[in-house]
Amino acid sequence: MCATAANLNEDVLPEVAHRPWVLTFPFPWRRRLAQDGASFGVLTRIFVESVERFHEERAARRGACGAAKSGAVTVVQRTSGDMRLNPHLHVVFLDAAYHEDGTELVWNELGHLRTREVGQVLEHAVGRMLRYLRRHGHLEIEHDVEEDD
């Protein structure tokens, strides 16, 4: 794990600010996600796309010309520190978005992230996840989440 982190730091990630996000799932979802890799992969993609989209839209509001892009590295962790089943994500996002200006990449720093913005990103991601789960017949997951609300 340390060698992977060192490689990411030294050879992969650009020298710009990074922001870690951790996403855990509701208890009723965890067993299914641990057993259903395809669904877990889709929910991971939904989360990463939601945060990247937020970064790209924020960069555009801050004056990025053209299509802004961001990036991320995701690590899946299957247990918690006490070895209980807890599939969750650790994602390091570029705290910037970039766009091409001719032959150069221009970085647009995103600046301070407000708690309200984090909530909006998560609300959007969870809404997409619930639509996916509903569409694919995981009604017991949908029912458990509504009970938790």
Side-chain angles (χ1 to χ4, degrees), residues 20-63:
W21 290 61
V22 177
L23 179 68
T24 60
F25 296 95
F27 286 105
W29 296 19
R30 292 178 184 180
R31 181 178 302 266
R32 176 180 299 276
L33 293 177
Q35 296 172 348
D36 184 355
S39 292
F40 190 62
V42 171
L43 297 188
T44 299
R45 181 182 51 78
I46 288 170
F47 175 67
V48 171
E49 285 176 353
S50 296
V51 177
E52 285 182 337
R53 185 168 152 200
F54 165 72
H55 283 193
E56 293 160 6
E57 290 171 354
R58 192 166 186 203
R61 286 193 307 270
R62 294 178 139 237

Side-chain angles (χ1 to χ4, degrees), residues 130-148:
L130 285 172
R131 283 191 298 277
Y132 169 81
L133 293 171
R134 211 175 275 133
R135 223 178 13 249
H136 288 85
H138 300 298
L139 298 177
E140 64 276 8
I141 290 177
E142 177 185 339
H143 177 71
D144 289 343
V145 169
E146 288 177 357
E147 282 181 7
D148 286 348

